[in-house]
Amino acid sequence: MDDDQIARRIEALRVEHRDLDAAIAALGTTGSLDQMQIARLKKRKLRLRDEIMMLGDELIPDIIA
């Protein structure tokens, strides 16, 4: 992937991450106590964050001092 593709992928992942955050908050405020679903959403959110960080590292060149 080139830098533009990586940047677009990161942005798409950030949007999905924000959407999951909103979904988790909505489940919490509606009184829904489906802890399994909330746990799955949080786990997916963490995987997205990890992928965002990994792709971000690809955009930053290694600098050897």
Side-chain angles (χ1 to χ4, degrees), residues 40-56:
R40 278 190 225 108
L41 292 174
K42 286 182 177 182
K43 195 173 204 178
R44 172 71 180 145
K45 190 176 158 188
L46 287 172
R47 283 193 304 263
L48 288 173
R49 187 194 67 193
D50 290 344
E51 188 174 350
I52 290 168
M53 296 300 291
M54 182 188 68
L55 289 171

Side-chain angles (χ1 to χ4, degrees), residues 6 8 10-11 15 18-19 25-26 30 32 34-35 37 42 47-50 59 62-65:
I6 292 172
R8 284 193 300 274
I10 288 172
E11 185 55 36
V15 168
R18 282 191 300 266
D19 290 347
T30 60
S32 174
D34 189 358
Q35 296 300 321
Q37 184 177 7
K42 286 182 177 182
R47 283 193 304 263
L48 288 173
R49 187 194 67 193
D50 290 344
L59 288 177
D62 290 337
I63 298 174
I64 300 174

Side-chain angles (χ1 to χ4, degrees), residues 21-35:
D21 205 23
I24 292 167
L27 282 173
T29 59
T30 60
S32 174
L33 297 177
D34 189 358
Q35 296 300 321

